[in-house]
Amino acid sequence: MPDINDLGPQGLSWRRVSPAYIKVRLISATVSTVIWVLITGVPVILALLSIWGDPSDLWRWLPPAIVLVWGIIDLCLIPRRVRAIGYAEQGTELWLRRGIIFRSVTVVPYGRMQYVDIKTGPLLNAFGLADLTLHTAAAATDANLPGLPRAEADRLREELTRRGEELMVGL
């Protein structure tokens, strides 16, 4: 299997997002899985409370079991997925990579950026992280870089803005 570094130029220095982002994703996915197991488990709960049907009916247990197995698989893959997210700064563009099986590398030219967004929420704030979003003229080419340490997100925003302004002068 080819290395993801083969998708970019030789000598590109990739940087990874914060390892703390794994915890953020694990917490988020666990909460989501529990909610979906409870939602799909309503028929089981109603049967156990003798409100609706017999709790021994297999069909009642199948949806929450499938959701639980899917959630556990997702939780097991999160650390590897987070380690696959990376970025590299080059002279005129920012390279972003992600994916384990379906890998992708996105190149955003600095001169095409319109603005750079930093977003945080309660969970990201608790771990000192932020998501960086690069907006370009074409909405389809907007790029997101999640799980950056807050100081690195601020530095990257300033650097990308500076480089973007320099390269737009020549247009």
Side-chain angles (χ1 to χ4, degrees):
M1 179 183 293
D3 185 27
I4 192 147
N5 293 327
D6 295 343
L7 298 176
Q10 292 294 337
L12 198 59
S13 178
W14 292 101
R15 299 176 76 181
R16 290 188 173 154
V17 298
S18 172
Y21 188 55
I22 294 172
K23 294 175 188 169
V24 170
R25 292 279 309 268
L26 286 171
I27 292 168
S28 178
T30 300
V31 169
S32 178
T33 299
V34 168
I35 289 170
W36 280 108
V37 166
L38 290 174
I39 290 170
T40 58
V42 167
V44 173
I45 295 168
L46 292 174
L48 290 172
L49 295 173
S50 300
I51 295 174
W52 182 44
D54 183 15
S56 64
D57 290 341
L58 181 61
W59 71 268
R60 294 179 196 281
W61 294 90
L62 194 58
I66 290 171
V67 169
L68 183 61
V69 169
W70 187 271
I72 290 170
I73 291 170
D74 184 44
L75 288 170
C76 291
L77 291 175
I78 284 174
R80 180 64 186 101
R81 286 180 184 151
V82 169
R83 284 192 302 271
I85 301 170
Y87 65 100
E89 297 173 74
Q90 220 179 13
T92 59
E93 59 218 4
L94 180 70
W95 292 67
L96 305 170
R97 72 174 185 195
R98 66 180 57 230
I100 300 171
I101 296 172
F102 298 101
R103 299 173 301 171
S104 71
V105 173
T106 305
V107 181
V108 182
Y110 297 135
R112 298 266 179 142
M113 289 187 296
Q114 289 187 329
Y115 63 97
V116 182
D117 240 351
I118 292 181
K119 296 179 184 174
T120 64
L123 196 51
L124 285 171
N125 274 335
F127 288 93
L129 302 175
D131 291 345
L132 185 95
T133 305
L134 308 157
H135 297 276
T136 62
T141 60
D142 289 355
N144 184 33
L145 189 55
L148 291 173
R150 183 57 197 252
E152 175 64 6
D154 289 337
R155 183 203 68 80
L156 203 51
R157 179 189 61 206
E158 296 303 319
E159 181 65 18
L160 294 175
T161 302
R162 183 187 64 74
R163 288 184 184 185
E165 288 172 352
E166 286 175 3
L167 291 171
M168 284 180 60
V169 171
L171 295 177

